[in-house]
Amino acid sequence: MNVENDLELINRELCNKTYDNFKTLHDFEINRLKEMKISGINLISSIGI
C-alpha cells in the first residue's frame, strides 16, 4: 500500500500519512476479536488473541 510504483521502495511520507487510520482500524479489530473470544467463539490460534 505504501510503496512506490516499482514495488521496491517504501514511501515514508505515505506511511506517515496513513498510519493513524491503520492504527485505529487495527485496534478496533483487536478489540472485536477479543470480544468474540470472550463470548465463546473459537478463534484460530495463529491470531494470537
Side-chain angles (χ1 to χ4, degrees), residues 21-49:
N21 187 53
F22 160 77
K23 181 73 166 109
T24 299
L25 294 174
H26 172 271
D27 292 348
F28 177 83
E29 188 62 15
I30 294 298
N31 289 330
R32 187 181 75 84
L33 292 170
K34 286 179 179 178
E35 288 297 322
M36 288 174 66
K37 187 171 185 176
I38 290 170
S39 68
I41 296 173
N42 290 327
L43 303 174
I44 56 175
S45 61
S46 64
I47 292 177
I49 302 292

Side-chain angles (χ1 to χ4, degrees), residues 2 4 10-19:
N2 295 329
E4 299 294 343
I10 296 171
N11 182 328
R12 258 181 91 74
E13 183 179 330
L14 194 52
C15 287
N16 290 330
K17 187 176 181 180
T18 60
Y19 179 77

